[in-house]
């Protein structure tokens, strides 16, 4: 498996699927068989669909607001969701049950595959109610309301084992939905009429009572109002107020006239009489002035010939003086007239002011007496407006209540279906296949996630974080490791050749001079690995010493074929030296030291300085020292050995060593500062495992078949 930080590895997942292919295939086939069985055993279901159209508003036959709330007051989403809810409502299902008489017998319930109410016990009415409830529940459970996207159409579908029954109930639902909508509108109008009748009667009685109180109070307080408008019902005002208003207007006019007259008199009194505009514009003055100018011109003309005392001249002079006197007299009369107009205007203003002042008191007194009158008047006006509004609304409700307009209509009635809609064989098979495949893949991933075994080199490297130096294949049944190692062309021998090569490149100086071969538990192949590794190093013309380091359960002497009468226990205890306990084997350059007599305290022997001196002596005489050590878990021997040698090889059994065991063993080795060269995966089944696209088979006969064919052709 890939680590969390790595990219998605397709090959990794493909290997996992191939590894668990039988599990995935079994789940796939099982789900497919179950899907076919369920499909064939399922009762066929027939679906009938009726299409209805729902408008947000009804046809506006009359321009009168309806009693029921306007659909435009709600959003389109709210309105249509409400309609869908009404289609699924229990009340509509009850209407369908009643209209089709489904509660009168058990036939409908039995057709739908339901359980009819028991006939034992209870009254007939109780059985009918139970049958009705069961029928309503069946209708609601098998009803499907599906809006047509982007339109006002709604498909109303019903599922049942009987095609005729499906069509009948689908049409009944659509028809009863329309009728229930009309009934709700009519019930709303009827309730509104009853409510308005009661309110109109109450308002009329209150209107009459208020009007009587108003008339009685006006008579008692002598309040007389006159209408300001020409029509009845216009704004009214009290008689005193009307007089005050008229006198106030007259006073304003008189004041304006007095101010104008006063201004004329002020100007007239402060200016020469003959320069006044009124004097100059007077026709008499103009005529006398013209006459004087004519006589003065004649006098001046004669003055050039006659002396002033000439009788004719004196006569003209007398006429001119007379005209001057007349002009002055007329001018003074005009001035007196202006003064008289001012006096008259001032007197008129004063008189009107006195009258207005007198009426003000009457108006203030009337206002204090009109407070209750105004309260009664407002109440009367309010009651009259309310009464007229209620009466008008009552007439409108009477009109709308008789209209049968509806905003729901049937577009397509449900037809009897020709073929069942359920079960769908292809769909069920597709679902079963996907479900089986998903369960199989999920189980494979689950098993892989819970798998604690180490089955491949990649598992070892990913889960233990140690390099894999070699992979040793599983021997055929009946074949021993000695027989397999004897055949240098076998895959078993080739695996250990590869291990030897990997060790030679593990350090800059080649294979470590001293090697410990150990494992987490017994029977993982560490003794075979130690023997094969020592044998392969010896075949390189290297002097190799193989030591059986398991002082608790020795087995290497049987593999080599020597006695175990003396060995490492004698050497470590000091009773013998290296040359005395080492014996040559049948293989060239390979010597062996057996375990010897089993000591009571192996850990103390390995932990002493004696072992290190022996190891130094052995390294001086041999090129490589290979120690077949004891298992790590449960004993202190292996960590002591690992701390003394140049390298340690950790052997793991494919699909036999658990990850927790291997981690525990590696942790114990790391505590003693051991130098771990890598791991070896043994008993690897190359016939069943092909990991990451590579086959871990070691075989020199890959061309054998072609060679045989060449020989046959010859």
């Amino acid at each position: 498996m890939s680590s969390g930080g790595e990219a998605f590895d397709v090959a990794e997942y493909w290997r996992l699927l191939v590894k668990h292919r039988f599990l995935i295939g079994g789940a796939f086939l099982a789900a497919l068989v179950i899907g076919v069985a369920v499909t064939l055993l399922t009762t066929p279901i027939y679906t009938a669909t009726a299409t209805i159209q729902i408008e947000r508003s009804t046809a506006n036959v009359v321009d009168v607001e309806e009693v029921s709330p306007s659909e435009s007051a709600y959003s389109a989403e709210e309105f249509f969701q409400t309609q869908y809810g009404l289609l699924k409502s229990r009340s509509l299902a009850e209407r369908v049950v009643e209209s089709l008489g489904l509660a009168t017998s058990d036939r409908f319930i039995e057709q739908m595959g339901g359980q009819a109410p028991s006939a034992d016990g209870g009254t007939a009415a109780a059985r009918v109610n139970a049958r009705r409830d069961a029928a309503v529940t069946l209708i609601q459970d098998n009803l499907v309301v599906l809006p047509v996207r982007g339109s006002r159409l709604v498909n109303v579908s019903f599922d049942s084992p009987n095609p005729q029954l499906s069509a009948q109930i689908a049409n009944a639902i659509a028809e009863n939905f329309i009728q229930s909508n009309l009934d709700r509108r009519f019930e709303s109008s009827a309730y509104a009429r009853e409510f308005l009748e009661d309110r109109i009667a109450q308002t009329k009685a209150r209107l009459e009572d208020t009007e009587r109180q108003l008339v009685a109070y006006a008579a008692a307080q002598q309040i007389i109002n006159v209408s300001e408008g020409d029509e009845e019902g216009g704004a009214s005002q009290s008689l005193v107020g009307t007089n005050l208003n008229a006198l106030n207007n007259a006073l304003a006019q008189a004041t304006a006239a007095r101010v104008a007259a006063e201004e004329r008199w002020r100007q007239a009194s402060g200016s020469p009489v003959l320069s006044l505009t009124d004097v100059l514009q007077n026709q008499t003055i103009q005529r006398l002035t013209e006459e004087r100018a004519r006589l003065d011109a004649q006098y001046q003309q004669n003055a050039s010939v006659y002396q002033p005392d000439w009788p004719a001249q004196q006569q003209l002079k007398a006429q001119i003086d007379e005209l001057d006197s007349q002009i002055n007299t007329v001018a003074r009369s005009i001035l007196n007239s202006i003064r008289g107009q001012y006096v008259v205007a001032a007197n008129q203003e004063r008189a009107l002011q006195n009258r207005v002042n007198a009426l003000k008191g009457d108006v203030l007194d009337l206002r204090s007496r009109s407070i209750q009158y105004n309260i009664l008047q407002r109440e009367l006006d309010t009651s009259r407006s309310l009464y007229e509004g209620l009466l008008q609304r009552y007439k409108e409700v009477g009109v709308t209540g008789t209209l049968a307009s509806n905003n729901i209509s049937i577009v397509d009635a449900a037809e009897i279906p020709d073929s069942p809609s359920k079960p769908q064989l292809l769909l069920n098979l597709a679902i079963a296949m996907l479900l089986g495949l998903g369960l199989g893949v999920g189980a494979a991933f689950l098993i892989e996630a819970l798998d604690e075994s180490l089955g491949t080199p990649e598992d070892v490297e990913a889960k233990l974080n140690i390099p894999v130096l070699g992979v040793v294949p599983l021997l055929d049944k009946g074949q021993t490791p000695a027989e397999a190692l004897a055949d240098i062309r076998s895959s078993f021998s080739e695996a250990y050749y590869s291990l030897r090569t990997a060790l030679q490149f593990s350090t800059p100086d080649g294979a470590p001079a001293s090697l410990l071969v150990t494992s987490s538990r017994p029977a993982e192949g560490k003794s075979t690995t130690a023997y094969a590794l020592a044998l392969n190093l010896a075949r390189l013309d290297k002097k190799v010493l193989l030591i059986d380091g398991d002082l608790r359960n020795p087995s290497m002497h049987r593999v080599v074929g020597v006695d175990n009468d003396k060995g490492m226990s004698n050497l470590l205890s000091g009773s013998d030296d290296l040359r005395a306990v080492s014996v040559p084997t049948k293989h060239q350059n390979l010597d062996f030291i057996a375990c010897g007599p089993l000591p009571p305290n192996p850990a103390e022997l390995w932990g002493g300085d004696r072992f290190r001196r022996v190891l130094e002596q052995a390294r001086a005489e041999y090129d490589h020292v290979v120690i077949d050590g004891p298992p790590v878990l449960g004993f202190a021997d292996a960590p002591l050995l690992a701390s003394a040698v140049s390298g340690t090889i950790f052997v793991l059994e494919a699909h036999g060593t658990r990850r927790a065991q291997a981690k525990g063993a590696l942790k114990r080795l790391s505590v003693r500062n051991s130098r771990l060269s890598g791991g070896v995966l043994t008993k690897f089944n190359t016939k069943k495992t092909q990991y990451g696209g590579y086959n871990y088979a070691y075989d020199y006969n890959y061309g054998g078949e072609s060679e045989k064919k060449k020989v046959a052709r010859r």
Side-chain angles (χ1 to χ4, degrees):
M1 301 295 291
S2 301
S3 62
E6 296 180 357
F8 181 78
D9 190 354
V10 177
E12 175 81 6
Y13 288 99
W14 175 251
R15 182 209 62 83
L16 189 147
L17 296 178
V18 172
K19 177 181 177 181
H20 298 282
R21 58 188 179 276
F22 296 109
L23 173 63
I24 297 174
F28 179 81
L29 292 177
L32 190 61
V33 171
I34 293 173
V36 173
V38 170
T39 301
L40 296 179
L41 296 176
T42 301
T43 302
I45 301 297
Y46 294 86
T47 301
T49 302
T51 303
I52 62 176
Q53 181 177 353
I54 302 176
E55 298 290 345
R56 293 192 64 186
S57 59
T58 59
N60 193 11
V61 180
V62 292
D63 190 15
V64 176
E65 184 181 357
E66 295 185 3
V67 175
S68 58
S70 174
E71 285 80 2
S72 60
Y74 309 100
S75 65
E77 181 69 18
E78 291 177 342
F79 170 74
F80 286 109
Q81 289 299 328
T82 301
Q83 300 303 313
Y84 306 152
L86 292 175
L87 280 168
K88 300 176 184 177
S89 64
R90 181 178 179 84
S91 61
L92 180 60
E94 291 175 348
R95 288 181 66 104
V96 174
V97 171
E98 294 297 332
S99 64
L100 297 180
L102 302 180
T104 57
S105 67
D106 297 335
R107 183 168 178 270
F108 171 71
I109 300 176
E110 293 172 353
Q111 284 181 321
M112 295 298 296
Q115 184 67 35
S118 176
D120 299 335
T123 62
R127 289 196 296 272
V128 171
N129 291 334
R131 195 181 296 117
R132 180 185 297 106
D133 293 339
V136 168
T137 302
L138 287 172
I139 289 178
Q140 287 185 296
D141 292 342
N142 293 276
L143 173 65
V144 178
V145 177
L146 185 62
V148 179
R149 188 175 182 86
S151 69
R152 296 183 178 88
L153 301 179
V154 180
N155 291 329
V156 180
S157 303
F158 188 80
D159 300 334
S160 77
N162 190 314
Q164 291 82 6
L165 182 63
S166 298
Q168 182 184 16
I169 294 183
N171 288 325
I173 291 173
E175 293 169 358
N176 280 275
F177 181 60
I178 294 175
Q179 189 59 43
S180 66
N181 186 61
L182 292 173
D183 291 346
R184 285 195 303 273
R185 292 175 180 270
F186 181 78
E187 290 173 0
S188 298
S189 298
Y191 174 78
R193 286 196 300 272
E194 294 176 1
F195 174 78
L196 290 173
E197 287 175 356
D198 182 60
R199 295 293 297 171
I200 286 173
Q202 296 178 11
T203 305
K204 183 179 180 182
R206 186 166 62 251
L207 175 63
E208 293 175 353
D209 182 63
T210 304
E211 193 168 5
R212 292 191 190 96
Q213 293 180 17
L214 180 65
V215 172
Y217 185 82
Q221 296 296 327
Q222 294 296 312
I223 299 175
I224 302 173
N225 291 336
V226 294
S227 177
E228 295 181 356
D230 296 335
E231 298 180 0
E232 184 180 358
S236 61
Q237 191 175 8
S238 65
L239 185 60
V240 176
T242 303
N243 292 337
L244 178 60
N245 188 36
L247 287 176
N248 192 56
N249 292 335
L251 176 60
Q253 296 176 1
T255 301
R258 189 267 304 167
V259 171
E262 183 178 4
E263 181 62 22
R264 289 179 62 197
W265 167 244
R266 186 181 62 79
Q267 292 179 356
S269 62
S271 302
V273 177
L274 294 179
S275 64
L276 298 177
T277 303
D278 292 345
V279 173
L280 295 176
Q281 293 179 352
N282 187 270
Q283 294 182 355
T284 302
I285 295 296
Q286 291 177 354
R287 181 177 57 78
L288 293 175
T289 302
E290 291 175 358
E291 181 64 22
R292 181 184 182 286
R294 185 182 64 77
L295 293 175
D296 186 64
Q298 185 178 357
Y299 179 80
Q300 294 298 331
Q301 183 179 5
N302 293 335
S304 61
V305 180
Y306 302 105
Q307 292 295 327
D309 54 356
W310 183 255
Q313 288 290 93
Q314 290 181 352
Q315 185 179 2
L316 289 173
K317 179 63 175 173
Q319 291 178 353
I320 291 173
D321 293 339
E322 180 61 25
L323 288 174
D324 289 338
S325 177
Q326 292 179 6
I327 289 173
N328 291 330
T329 300
V330 173
R332 282 194 297 271
S333 63
I334 292 173
L335 181 62
N336 291 332
S337 174
I338 293 173
R339 182 177 180 278
Q341 291 175 1
Y342 164 66
V343 173
V344 171
N347 292 335
Q348 186 177 6
E349 179 189 16
R350 191 177 302 108
L352 288 174
Q353 184 66 52
N354 293 333
R355 181 57 180 162
V356 166
N357 292 336
L359 287 177
K360 282 182 180 179
D362 296 340
V363 169
L364 292 175
D365 178 64
L366 179 63
R367 285 185 178 179
S368 63
R369 291 183 289 114
S370 297
I371 294 175
Q372 184 62 29
Y373 179 86
N374 293 333
I375 294 174
L376 294 173
Q377 182 66 51
R378 283 193 299 271
E379 185 176 352
L380 177 63
D381 294 340
T382 302
S383 299
R384 182 181 291 110
S385 299
L386 180 60
Y387 176 76
E388 292 174 353
L390 291 173
L391 192 60
Q392 179 64 26
R393 186 58 179 160
Y394 180 77
K395 295 177 182 179
E396 294 176 354
V397 170
V399 173
T400 58
T402 59
L403 296 177
S405 59
N406 196 12
N407 62 328
I408 304 172
S409 59
I410 297 177
V411 177
D412 291 323
E415 297 181 354
I416 299 175
D418 298 329
S419 59
S421 59
K422 301 175 184 177
Q424 299 181 14
L425 179 60
L426 295 180
L427 178 61
N428 289 352
L429 291 182
I431 294 175
M433 288 188 292
L434 290 176
L435 183 61
L437 189 62
L439 290 176
V441 172
F445 277 102
L446 180 62
I447 291 173
E448 191 70 16
L450 298 177
D451 187 10
E452 285 286 320
S453 65
L454 302 170
T456 64
E458 286 76 7
D459 286 345
V460 176
E461 293 177 350
K463 297 177 180 179
L464 300 182
N465 197 25
I466 62 174
V468 177
L469 300 177
V471 179
V472 180
L474 180 68
L475 293 176
D476 295 335
K477 189 174 182 180
Q479 188 180 20
T480 63
E483 294 173 351
L485 289 173
D487 183 7
I488 61 175
R489 297 175 63 86
S490 66
S491 60
F492 195 75
S493 296
E494 181 63 26
Y496 283 110
Y497 294 157
S498 299
L499 173 59
R500 180 194 64 190
T501 303
L503 278 175
Q504 288 177 325
F505 290 100
S506 62
T507 65
D509 299 327
S514 57
L515 276 171
L516 170 67
V517 181
T518 185
S519 62
S520 59
R521 59 181 180 83
E524 292 192 73
K526 62 177 179 58
S527 297
T528 301
T529 300
Y531 175 70
L533 182 58
L535 181 61
N536 280 281
L537 289 173
R539 287 173 179 172
L540 294 176
D541 292 332
K542 302 285 187 180
K543 292 190 66 177
V544 180
L545 176 63
L546 176 61
I547 299 174
D548 188 352
D550 191 350
L551 303 183
R552 300 176 187 272
N553 185 21
S555 61
M556 185 62 72
H557 63 279
R558 288 189 291 269
V559 177
V560 178
V562 299
D563 295 332
N564 191 32
D565 53 352
K566 61 178 180 179
M568 281 300 295
S569 59
N570 304 100
L571 184 60
L572 294 177
S573 62
S575 59
D576 287 310
D577 57 6
L578 181 64
R579 294 183 182 275
V581 297
S582 62
V583 296
T585 65
K586 60 182 179 180
H587 302 286
Q588 187 179 1
N589 298 326
L590 178 61
D591 293 344
F592 173 67
I593 299 178
C595 169
L598 298 181
N601 51 352
E604 293 181 3
L605 294 178
W606 293 121
D609 294 336
R610 176 69 178 170
F611 171 65
R612 295 184 181 275
R613 290 196 298 270
V614 169
L615 186 60
E616 291 177 0
Q617 183 182 359
R619 290 176 60 181
E621 297 184 11
Y622 294 92
D623 295 321
H624 298 284
V625 178
V626 180
I627 303 174
D628 176 24
V632 177
L633 297 179
F635 307 107
D637 303 7
L640 292 172
L641 288 170
S643 63
V645 298
S646 302
T648 301
I649 296 178
F650 189 69
V651 178
L652 304 105
E653 181 184 354
H655 296 289
T657 305
R658 313 299 294 177
R659 178 169 57 178
Q661 293 175 338
K663 282 189 173 182
L666 292 173
K667 185 177 181 180
R668 292 195 63 189
L669 292 175
S670 64
V671 171
R672 302 294 298 185
N673 297 321
S674 62
R675 289 169 288 277
L676 185 65
S677 299
V680 177
L681 191 64
T682 62
K683 303 179 184 180
F684 187 76
N685 193 342
T686 59
K687 297 179 180 179
K688 295 183 179 180
T689 305
Q690 186 174 2
Y691 192 84
Y694 297 96
N695 195 333
Y696 291 98
Y698 302 95
D699 195 354
Y700 284 110
N701 297 324
Y702 60 87
E705 188 65 27
S706 60
E707 292 295 330
K708 291 178 182 179
K709 291 181 181 179
K710 290 180 181 178
V711 173
R713 283 197 296 269
R714 292 175 184 173

